């Protein structure tokens, strides 16, 4: 049964990443600033989850210290989404999505320190391979420097809250973690908008924007975020980060379907993307080889 459970979680995660890949399309379609877009997104997601808990009569009580941790983690979640959508608006969907692959490098470096685990040379190697692909993209896509930088910062934030969530999900339901983190994101973004006088007429929605935001808030956030957090109960933060790197593949494919020539990039971009995707597929193979070798060494010699 553990084998089937593991594969089911992998399938759920891949489906979740496909949905996340679609958020880039929606971000480009919605005529709002990145901050306003994310504010609406988290508000819709928060209300959706609250109604779900009410309908299912699910208790939303958590220890005070946990609520505080999730509240501050919400700042990272909100920051990640704002930086991601701003990266799209400053470059292209493809560039922003590929930059998220730096999530693997950040996780490989940060997770051992935060979770007090032994540093994996294979994870560091994979992360460095991915960052070399991003450097190549930087070299050839100089006109998108701002978008690339924002995408990398977005990946850093995503790495931090992924590691935090991988620990929290061992103690609390994924849906509650998502609910309070999204709630925290609302508060932090609202505070920013109040200070910057961002609650203004520029937040006015067109009919198409409302439809896209509902899809983004309900399907791509409430449903997908809960699913993405829930699989961390069995999958490591690095494994989740690694599969999340397929988001550029799914997202770029969708971008081509929706935008065609607008998403065509230089050969340097695709060379960098190939390096990144190669690292994603090489890692599981090498890890499996290492594990088999380790088991073989531990078995008694006949």
């Amino acid at each position: 049964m553990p084998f089937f459970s593991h594969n089911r979680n992998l399938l759920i995660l891949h489906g979740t990443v496909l949905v996340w890949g679609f958020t880039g399309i929606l971000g480009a379609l919605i005529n709002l600033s990145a901050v306003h877009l994310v504010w609406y997104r988290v508000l819709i997601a928060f209300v959706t989850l609250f109604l779900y808990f009410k309908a299912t009569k699910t208790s939303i009580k958590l220890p005070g210290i946990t609520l505080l941790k999730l509240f501050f983690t919400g700042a990272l979640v909100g920051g990640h989404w704002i930086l991601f959508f701003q990266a799209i608006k400053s470059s292209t969907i493809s560039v922003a999505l590929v930059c998220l692959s730096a999530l693997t490098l950040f996780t490989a470096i940060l997770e051992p320190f935060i979770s007090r685990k032994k540093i994996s040379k294979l994870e560091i190697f994979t992360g460095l391979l991915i960052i070399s692909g991003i450097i190549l993209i930087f070299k050839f896509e100089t006109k998108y420097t701002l978008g690339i930088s924002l995408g990398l910062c977005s990946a850093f934030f995503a790495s931090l809250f992924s590691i935090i969530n991988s620990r929290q999900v061992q103690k609390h339901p994924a849906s509650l973690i998502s609910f309070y983190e999204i709630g925290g994101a609302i508060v932090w973004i609202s505070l920013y908008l109040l200070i910057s006088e961002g609650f203004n007429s520029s937040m006015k929605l067109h009919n198409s924007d409302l439809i896209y935001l509902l899809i983004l808030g309900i399907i791509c956030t409430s449903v997908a975020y809960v699913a993405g957090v829930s699989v961390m109960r069995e999958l490591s933060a690095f494994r989740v980060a690694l599969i999340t790197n397929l988001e550029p593949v799914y997202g770029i494919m969708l971008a081509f379907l929706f935008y065609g020539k607008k998403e065509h990039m230089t050969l340097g971009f695709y060379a960098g993307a190939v390096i990144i995707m190669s690292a994603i597929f090489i890692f599981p193979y090498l890890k499996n080889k290492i594990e088999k070798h380790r088991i073989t060494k531990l078995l008694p010699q006949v």
Side-chain angles (χ1 to χ4, degrees), residues 42 57 63 69 81 93-94 135 155 163-164 177 257 287:
V42 292
K57 296 180 179 178
K69 287 178 181 178
W81 283 332
I93 298 169
S94 301
I135 290 170
I163 295 167
I164 293 168
I177 293 171
L257 287 174
K287 189 168 185 178

Side-chain angles (χ1 to χ4, degrees), residues 3-162:
F3 173 80
F4 293 106
S5 176
H6 181 78
N7 284 342
R8 185 191 67 221
N9 282 317
L10 284 175
L11 189 62
I12 290 171
L13 184 56
H14 277 284
T16 302
V17 172
L18 176 62
V19 172
W20 284 338
F22 190 66
T23 62
I25 307 296
L26 294 171
L29 289 171
I30 296 170
N31 298 304
L32 290 171
S33 70
V35 178
H36 288 150
L37 188 160
V38 175
W39 185 82
Y40 278 117
R41 176 186 189 176
V42 292
L43 180 63
I44 292 168
F46 185 81
V47 172
T48 302
L49 286 171
F50 180 76
L51 292 175
Y52 166 76
F53 291 138
K54 281 290 183 183
T56 57
K57 296 180 179 178
T58 303
S59 173
I60 59 173
K61 291 182 179 179
L62 284 177
I65 188 65
T66 300
L67 291 176
L68 194 61
K69 287 178 181 178
L70 296 178
F71 174 73
F72 282 105
T73 305
L76 296 174
V77 174
H80 158 67
W81 283 332
I82 290 170
L83 289 165
F84 172 67
F85 286 117
Q86 190 56 52
I88 290 174
K89 294 178 184 296
S90 300
S91 54
T92 69
I93 298 169
S94 301
V95 167
L97 286 169
V98 167
C99 286
L100 279 182
S101 298
L103 171 66
T104 304
L105 177 65
F106 293 134
T107 303
I109 295 170
L110 295 171
E111 187 175 24
F113 292 101
I114 295 175
S115 301
R116 296 179 182 178
K117 293 182 178 179
K118 185 179 178 181
I119 295 175
S120 167
K121 291 180 182 178
L122 179 59
E123 290 179 7
I124 293 294
F125 170 75
T126 306
L128 289 173
L129 196 60
I130 287 169
I131 209 66
S132 68
I134 291 173
I135 290 170
L136 188 61
I137 292 170
F138 248 120
K139 184 177 179 181
F140 284 89
E141 300 294 344
T142 52
K143 63 180 177 179
Y144 295 135
T145 299
L146 176 59
I148 294 170
S149 300
L150 291 169
L152 292 174
C153 289
S154 175
F156 178 76
F157 276 37
S159 174
L160 283 174
F161 74 72
S162 293

Side-chain angles (χ1 to χ4, degrees), residues 26 40-46 48-49 182 211-224:
L26 294 171
Y40 278 117
R41 176 186 189 176
V42 292
L43 180 63
I44 292 168
F46 185 81
T48 302
L49 286 171
I182 289 171
I211 294 169
Y212 296 144
L213 280 167
L214 287 172
I215 296 171
L216 183 63
I218 297 171
I219 298 173
C220 299
T221 307
S222 297
V223 177

Side-chain angles (χ1 to χ4, degrees), residues 147-289:
I148 294 170
S149 300
L150 291 169
L152 292 174
C153 289
S154 175
F156 178 76
F157 276 37
S159 174
L160 283 174
F161 74 72
S162 293
I163 295 167
I164 293 168
N165 285 346
S166 69
R167 300 177 71 180
Q168 289 295 333
V169 78
Q170 304 301 326
K171 308 170 188 175
H172 310 290
S175 55
L176 286 184
I177 293 171
S178 305
F179 178 69
Y180 284 111
E181 286 183 349
I182 289 171
I186 293 173
V187 175
W188 288 109
I189 297 170
S190 296
L191 285 172
Y192 171 77
L193 289 173
L194 282 170
I195 294 168
S196 63
E197 298 182 351
F199 286 111
N200 51 47
S201 58
S202 63
M203 294 184 72
K204 186 178 179 181
L205 298 175
H206 298 95
N207 290 336
S208 58
D209 288 337
L210 180 58
I211 294 169
Y212 296 144
L213 280 167
L214 287 172
I215 296 171
L216 183 63
I218 297 171
I219 298 173
C220 299
T221 307
S222 297
V223 177
Y225 194 77
V226 171
V229 174
S230 66
V231 298
M232 290 180 181
R233 196 180 295 274
E234 291 190 17
L235 304 178
S236 69
F238 185 80
R239 189 69 181 273
V240 171
L242 195 71
I243 295 173
T244 301
N245 280 324
L246 287 172
E247 185 176 338
V249 177
Y250 298 142
I252 290 169
M253 286 166 53
L254 290 168
F256 274 122
L257 287 174
F258 279 81
Y259 291 100
K261 291 183 179 180
K262 188 180 176 182
E263 286 294 320
H264 281 296
M265 311 297 290
T266 64
L267 287 175
F269 171 86
Y270 292 113
V274 166
I275 291 172
I276 292 167
M277 295 306 114
S278 297
I280 290 170
F281 291 106
I282 289 171
F283 173 79
Y285 172 78
L286 291 178
K287 189 168 185 178
N288 187 49
K289 280 281 192 183

